[in-house]
Amino acid sequence: QVDLVQSGGGSVQAGGSLRLSCVASESSSSTGCMGWFRQAPGKEREGVGAVRFDGRTVLAESLKGRFTISRDNAKNALYLQMDSLSADDSAMYYCAAGPSPVLPAVCSGIWLIRNGYTGQGTQVTVSS
C-alpha cells in the first residue's frame, strides 16, 4: 500500500497557472510510474500524463505545451505544473502511482487510472 498526499490546486482565472504536488509514503517498486488523471463533473476520468522513475514523461496530446509533469525521486514527490489554464481544465485532479509496467512505455495517466494507487484528489477550478 502506497499513500499519496496531494497539495496545491484551488481557483484561478483563465490564463493563470497552478502547481499540484503529491508526496508518496515510500519510494519503491510501487512508484516506478507516477502521474495524474482528472475527472470533471459528469465526465469520465481522463489521463493527464505520467513520469517514469527515469524521468521520461508522457502527456495527453491536448495538454502538451501547457502542462508539465516532473518528479523528485529523492523526495518521493510528483508535480504537475499547469499553465494557460482554461475553464475546460476545471476538474478534480488525482495523483496516482503504480509499479513500472512490463513495457515502460505503457506508463501513462490512462494506465494509472486502472493500475495505480490514488491520492485524495484536489479540486482545480478555472473561471473564465
Side-chain angles (χ1 to χ4, degrees):
Q1 178 71 31
V2 176
D3 294 322
L4 301 169
V5 179
Q6 299 179 219
S7 60
S11 298
V12 67
Q13 290 191 333
S17 299
L18 285 173
R19 179 179 170 89
L20 305 183
S21 300
C22 173
V23 177
S25 58
E26 61 183 81
S27 176
S28 68
S29 58
S30 295
T31 58
C33 176
M34 299 185 74
W36 301 90
F37 64 90
R38 66 185 184 182
Q39 187 168 24
K43 295 187 177 181
E44 294 188 355
R45 290 173 293 179
E46 175 189 13
V48 171
V51 54
R52 289 158 35 180
F53 192 84
D54 63 6
R56 294 191 180 186
T57 61
V58 60
L59 269 175
E61 196 67 30
S62 62
L63 302 177
K64 290 181 179 179
R66 297 193 301 118
F67 286 23
T68 304
I69 292 178
S70 61
R71 65 188 288 170
D72 184 334
N73 293 330
K75 297 180 179 180
N76 301 337
L78 173 73
Y79 306 101
L80 178 65
Q81 177 66 40
M82 303 181 290
D83 299 318
S84 302
L85 286 162
S86 72
D88 290 340
D89 296 314
S90 295
M92 186 72 79
Y93 283 71
Y94 296 91
C95 164
S100 293
V102 174
L103 295 174
V106 172
C107 172
S108 67
I110 296 174
W111 184 83
L112 284 167
I113 289 173
R114 296 185 179 273
N115 297 281
Y117 299 102
T118 302
Q120 81 273 21
T122 185
Q123 180 67 41
V124 170
T125 303
V126 184
S127 57
S128 56

